[in-house]
């Protein structure tokens, strides 16, 4: 016991090739060495543990906080406005006299943009995903992918003014009855915005279809198109649908482009050439304006926000549920 | 401390076997009584279905198969045996041109199906693959119903009538000995079947195309012994109507199901002949070493 320390140091030899020999220090004693750092080890381990826990908690607390604020202000709003009128009323004029609080025009505007952008994005997105996954050479795929990432990175406000200065004039040229602000231009730019999402998610799902399935279909005398349409796409279908839902939910929540492009006229219409207003655009309008806090007008944005939150959350939950089942298919 | 001499003893080259291969008990695969196996004479008299002449196969610059010549007789089972990486699967996939899917592959020499060159530029690959069905090592049911799986080939061949499709599906499933197990649930997903059932479904799916030839790439290697036995029984029944070529790792299986066997080693066809002759009296030392389990 007198030879603590140097006597118990041994070294492990690791031979690398012929020449190099690296020695790792190794103690044969299992007893803990004495020292301040060693004695404090349980303490700073605990500090790190706690700090990381706080980081993880923040997102949970913020989510809960937002939902509570939305609910609290919405409940206040529903003291003044009946929930029936809110959900079934066909006129939305909270900032004008006489006031009407029917959310249907805003809901209709949001759904018009969501559906219109889906009509633009779904065929192009699915076609692109199929081309990239099944037909394109790896080299072409490597070229296209960065472009998709750039497309996904363009700020939505840029899409918004592109809609006004580029898309809208074209639409007005084709359909002279269209206004400067119209739903169609919003649909087109939002469709382009959600395109990268549909393409990358769908392409991942298509790629995850086992190669052996393609081989089996080829061995049965199918040609490339038949293999793609009859085997690969059906096998990936639920995942592809989930990618559509996630993208549409993004379109519903999209704010800047629709605020700029679609106008600020809450209108219960399905005509894409007219100016409309979406739920998000209304929230922008009120948040920026000089509506005094604490009034009914001011609280409308929380009720509208709650509706928006519920709509996108339901779509996301459905999409996640479908996606979670895709993985089980090939177990 | 006691382990050292033991290890030394074990790695000493055995006096009889080719040096470098560890000594193992010599087990010659037993040939079944032979009542259902075709004799060498029958093999010699059978019509030649596929003829391979001086064929070499390349993956880009690497030659995977070298100067292979082999005759595959009609309505017989031909087994390709050999260690992993010997080229037997590659060779099998040449017959229905599945290797075309891999870029940079190249074939030299001839493979003739009833006298017609398979690798001719005028060959229609779709027609070729309808005449030469294939079953893979891993069963590959499409995530569709049992009915849709089996009717896949006929549907893309243009058969639309439900009644005709049903007839083909029933006949194919009966031939693959699966009908009785699935006839009440043709609309269920094929993914709900067991592994052995899925593999018989894949056989039925290949038979639904009405091929002459069935290629099987280790069709039973992922199955339990009972399912394997069913597949082997099935092969015996199917060879009355179809020419079957099977790749197998399992020498016992080759001995049980095949009429003709071909032994491959490092891309070369070492020896081929009637299974009984090849397993009881191989002409080459390498064949002898492989089938007695000294390597591979």
């Amino acid at each position: 016991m007198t030879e603590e320390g140097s006597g118990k140091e041994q070294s492990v030899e690791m031979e690398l090739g012929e020449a190099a020999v690296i020695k790792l220090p190794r103690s044969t004693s299992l007893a803990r060495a004495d020292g301040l750092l060693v004695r404090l080890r349980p303490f700073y381990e605990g500090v790190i543990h706690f700090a990381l826990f706080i980081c993880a908690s923040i997102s949970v607390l913020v989510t809960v906080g937002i939902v509570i604020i939305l609910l609290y202000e919405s409940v206040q709003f529903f003291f003044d406005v009946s929930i029936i009128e809110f959900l079934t009323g066909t006129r939305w004029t909270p900032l004008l006299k006489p006031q009407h609080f029917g959310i249907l025009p805003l809901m209709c505007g949001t759904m018009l943009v969501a559906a219109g952008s889906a009509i633009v994005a779904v065929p192009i997105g699915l076609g692109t995903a199929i081309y990239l996954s099944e037909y394109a050479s790896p080299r072409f795929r490597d070229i296209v992918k960065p472009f998709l990432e750039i497309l996904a990175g363009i700020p939505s406000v840029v899409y918004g003014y592109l809609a006004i200065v580029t898309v809208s004039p074209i639409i007005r040229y084709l359909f002279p009855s269209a206004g400067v602000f119209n739903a169609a231009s919003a649909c087109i730019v939002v469709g382009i915005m959600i395109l990268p999402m549909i393409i990358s998610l769908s392409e991942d799902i298509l790629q995850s279809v086992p190669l052996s399935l393609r081989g089996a279909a080829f061995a049965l005398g199918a040609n490339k198109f038949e293999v793609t349409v009859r085997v690969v796409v059906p096998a990936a279908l639920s995942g592809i649908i989930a990618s559509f839902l996630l993208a549409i939910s993004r379109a519903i929540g999209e704010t800047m482009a629709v605020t700029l492009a679609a106008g600020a006229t809450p209108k219960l219409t399905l005509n894409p050439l007219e100016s409309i207003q979406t739920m998000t655009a209304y929230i922008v309008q009120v948040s920026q304006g000089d509506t005094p806090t604490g009034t009914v007008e001011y609280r409308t944005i929380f009720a509208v926000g709650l509706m928006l939150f519920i709509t996108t959350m339901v779509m996301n939950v459905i999409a996640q549920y479908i996606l979670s089942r895709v993985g089980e298919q090939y177990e | 401390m006691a382990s050292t001499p033991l290890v030394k003893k074990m790695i000493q080259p055995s006096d009889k076997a080719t040096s470098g291969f560890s000594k193992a008990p010599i087990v010659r695969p037993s040939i079944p009584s032979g009542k259902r196996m075709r004799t060498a004479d029958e093999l010699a008299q059978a019509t030649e279905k596929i003829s391979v002449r001086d064929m070499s196969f390349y993956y880009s610059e690497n030659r995977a198969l070298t100067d292979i010549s082999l005759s595959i007789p009609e309505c017989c089972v031909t087994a390709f045996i050999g260690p992993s990486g010997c080229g037997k699967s590659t060779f099998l996939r040449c017959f229905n041109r599945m290797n075309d899917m891999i870029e940079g592959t190249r074939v030299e020499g001839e493979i003739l199906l009833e006298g017609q060159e398979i690798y001719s530029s005028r060959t229609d690959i779709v027609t070729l693959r309808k005449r030469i069905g294939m079953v893979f090592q891993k069963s590959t049911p499409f995530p569709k119903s049992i009915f849709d799986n089996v009717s896949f080939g006929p549907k893309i061949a243009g058969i639309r009538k439900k009644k005709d499709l049903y007839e083909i599906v029933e006949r194919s499933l009966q031939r693959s000995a699966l009908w009785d197990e699935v006839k009440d649930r043709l609309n269920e997903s094929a993914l709900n079947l067991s592994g052995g059932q899925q593999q018989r479904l894949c056989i039925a799916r290949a038979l639904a195309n009405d091929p002459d030839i069935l290629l099987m790439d280790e069709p039973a290697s992922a199955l339990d012994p009972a399912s394997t036995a069913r597949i082997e029984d099935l092969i015996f029944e199917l060879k009355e109507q179809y020419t079957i070529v099977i790749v197998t790792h399992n020498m016992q299986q080759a001995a049980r199901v095949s009429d003709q066997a071909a032994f491959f080693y490092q891309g070369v066809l070492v020896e081929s002949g009637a299974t009984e002759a090849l397993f009881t009296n191989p002409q080459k030392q390498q064949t002898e070493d492989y089938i007695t389990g000294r390597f591979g």
Side-chain angles (χ1 to χ4, degrees):
Chain A
M1 301 297 275
T2 52
E3 287 186 21
E4 288 267 358
S6 62
K8 294 202 172 175
E9 293 287 333
Q10 289 187 347
S11 60
V12 182
E13 292 184 1
M14 287 168 57
E15 290 190 21
L16 297 175
E18 298 267 292
V21 175
I22 298 172
K23 292 180 177 178
L24 297 179
R26 190 169 79 176
S27 170
T28 52
S29 166
L30 285 177
R32 200 167 58 197
D34 266 357
L36 188 62
L37 271 180
V38 174
R39 264 182 285 146
L40 283 178
R41 192 184 284 160
F43 174 72
Y44 66 69
E45 288 278 7
V47 169
I48 290 168
H49 187 131
F50 185 71
L52 293 175
F53 172 76
I54 292 294
C55 292
S57 309
I58 286 173
S59 60
V60 176
L61 292 175
V62 168
T63 310
V64 171
I66 290 172
V67 172
I68 287 173
I69 293 170
L70 274 181
L71 283 174
Y72 176 79
E73 296 283 351
S74 298
V75 166
Q76 299 274 310
F77 172 77
F78 288 122
F79 282 142
D80 297 326
V81 176
S82 92
I83 199 159
I84 310 274
E85 190 205 334
F86 179 72
L87 289 177
T88 59
T90 55
R91 295 177 69 187
W92 181 260
T93 55
L95 307 179
L96 306 166
K97 302 276 177 197
Q99 287 181 318
H100 290 283
F101 298 97
I103 200 174
L104 283 182
L106 291 185
M107 201 67 174
C108 175
T110 294
M111 288 305 159
L112 184 62
V113 171
S117 59
I119 288 170
V120 172
V122 163
I124 300 175
L126 184 57
T128 310
I130 289 175
Y131 179 74
L132 289 181
S133 165
E134 306 299 313
Y135 287 86
S137 66
R139 234 188 105 206
F140 183 76
R141 202 179 312 159
D142 289 346
I143 295 170
V144 170
K145 284 257 171 148
F147 278 95
L148 286 176
E149 274 158 35
I150 294 170
L151 196 62
I154 294 175
S156 66
V157 67
V158 175
Y159 281 106
Y161 66 70
L162 281 179
I164 299 171
V165 303
T166 313
V167 181
S168 182
I170 295 172
I171 288 171
R172 295 188 74 193
Y173 176 75
L174 295 173
F175 305 98
S177 66
V180 178
F181 300 106
N182 56 65
S185 58
C187 291
I188 290 170
V189 292
V190 173
I192 294 169
M193 282 177 72
I194 63 176
L195 204 50
M197 195 169 175
I198 292 182
I199 295 170
S200 63
L201 286 174
S202 298
E203 201 228 335
D204 283 350
I205 304 273
L206 289 169
Q207 290 273 323
S208 73
V209 173
L211 269 180
S212 60
L213 278 192
R214 295 181 178 86
F218 277 120
L220 287 167
N223 61 35
K224 183 109 192 170
F225 182 70
E226 288 161 341
V227 172
T228 304
V229 171
R230 288 172 181 264
V231 176
V232 180
V233 172
L237 193 62
S238 48
I240 291 172
I241 290 171
S243 82
F244 294 163
L245 290 180
L246 285 175
I248 292 169
S249 139
R250 162 101 201 274
I252 290 173
E254 167 49 35
T255 306
M256 214 52 231
V258 292
T259 306
L260 289 176
T265 326
K267 211 182 285 175
L268 193 59
T269 176
L270 291 177
N271 182 356
L273 299 177
E274 286 187 56
S275 167
I276 51 138
Q277 188 171 39
T278 64
M279 295 194 275
T280 49
Y282 172 75
I283 295 173
V284 173
Q285 187 190 359
V286 174
S287 308
Q288 285 181 323
D290 42 19
T291 315
T293 55
T295 60
V296 182
E297 295 90 320
Y298 176 75
R299 290 210 176 96
T300 53
I301 62 173
F302 293 96
V304 172
L306 186 66
M307 284 298 293
L308 195 59
F309 172 67
I310 291 171
T311 318
T312 52
M313 194 180 71
V314 167
M315 297 209 56
N316 284 346
V317 167
I318 295 173
Q320 291 298 343
Y321 173 72
I322 295 174
L323 273 178
S324 71
R325 286 190 16 185
V326 174
E328 298 164 13
Q329 206 163 29
Y330 298 110
E331 293 301 315
Chain B
M1 297 304 128
S3 66
T4 321
L6 197 70
V7 169
K8 272 188 183 157
K9 196 175 174 183
M10 278 176 72
I11 59 170
Q12 262 167 10
S14 89
D15 46 354
K16 195 185 168 198
T18 322
S19 62
F21 299 124
S22 65
K23 191 175 178 180
I26 294 173
V27 185
R28 209 176 272 284
S30 55
I31 300 292
S33 52
K35 59 186 177 217
R36 290 193 291 177
M37 185 179 269
R38 310 227 193 278
T39 63
D41 286 346
E42 280 176 320
L43 277 176
Q45 282 161 15
T47 322
E48 186 182 58
K49 192 73 179 176
I50 298 179
S51 165
V52 184
R53 289 180 205 155
D54 297 326
M55 195 214 88
S56 295
F57 182 84
Y58 297 83
Y59 287 109
S60 301
E61 295 308 307
N62 303 319
R63 188 160 61 183
L65 296 167
T66 309
D67 289 337
I68 290 178
S69 296
L70 181 69
S71 172
I72 292 176
E74 194 167 28
C75 290
C76 294
V77 179
T78 301
F80 295 166
I81 57 173
S84 300
C86 68
K88 56 193 191 301
S89 279
T90 300
F91 187 45
L92 187 78
R93 293 162 65 93
C94 286
F95 295 146
N96 65 346
R97 296 186 58 169
M98 283 302 274
N99 291 322
D100 289 15
M101 287 167 72
I102 305 164
E103 263 179 56
T105 56
R106 189 158 52 88
V107 170
E108 284 173 5
E110 296 190 308
I111 305 179
L112 304 173
L113 169 62
E114 290 175 349
Q116 300 174 70
E117 173 60 52
I118 286 177
Y119 277 86
S120 154
S121 57
R122 291 174 54 225
T123 301
D124 178 27
I125 297 186
V126 168
T127 314
L128 175 78
R129 288 179 181 159
K130 282 179 179 155
R131 288 190 59 185
I132 306 184
M134 189 166 198
V135 177
F136 298 84
Q137 176 176 10
K138 194 169 160 266
S139 63
T140 51
F142 302 137
K144 297 166 179 269
S145 72
I146 293 169
F147 185 91
D148 286 344
N149 262 279
V150 181
S151 61
F152 183 86
K155 268 187 196 158
I156 59 174
I159 296 174
R160 289 275 174 273
K161 275 196 207 153
K162 192 85 176 168
K163 190 169 154 284
D164 295 347
L165 287 173
Y166 186 86
E167 245 179 68
I168 293 171
V169 168
E170 177 174 353
R171 190 175 62 217
S172 309
L173 285 169
Q174 271 171 348
R175 280 187 194 161
S176 72
L178 190 61
W179 176 249
D180 290 334
E181 292 159 62
V182 301
K183 64 182 174 196
D184 299 324
R185 46 182 182 137
L186 292 176
N187 290 318
E188 264 182 43
S189 168
L191 300 176
N192 294 340
L193 298 173
S194 72
Q197 286 174 327
Q198 287 190 358
Q199 196 59 300
R200 277 180 283 146
L201 179 78
C202 292
I203 294 173
R205 193 170 64 184
L207 295 180
N209 265 345
D210 204 15
D212 318 341
I213 299 165
L214 207 50
L215 308 176
M216 301 179 134
D217 192 353
E218 302 192 34
S221 65
L223 302 179
D224 61 81
S227 302
T228 302
R230 295 208 65 163
I231 300 276
E232 288 178 5
D233 288 346
L234 185 57
I235 292 171
F236 253 110
E237 283 157 30
L238 291 173
K239 80 173 181 188
E240 300 302 327
Q241 274 179 291
Y242 303 94
T243 305
I244 294 174
V245 187
I246 180 171
V247 164
T248 179
H249 255 108
N250 181 336
M251 247 124 16
Q252 296 289 350
Q253 185 173 62
R256 283 193 299 263
V257 301
S258 70
D259 306 303
Q260 175 182 258
F263 170 62
F264 290 81
Y265 186 61
Q266 295 185 343
V268 176
L269 174 60
V270 176
E271 187 172 354
S272 70
T275 301
E276 193 164 4
L278 190 95
F279 276 88
T280 50
N281 187 22
Q283 302 300 306
K284 301 266 173 65
Q285 183 61 40
Q286 273 177 326
T287 318
E288 166 82 19
D289 288 344
Y290 184 71
I291 61 176
T292 53
R294 268 190 216 106
F295 77 95

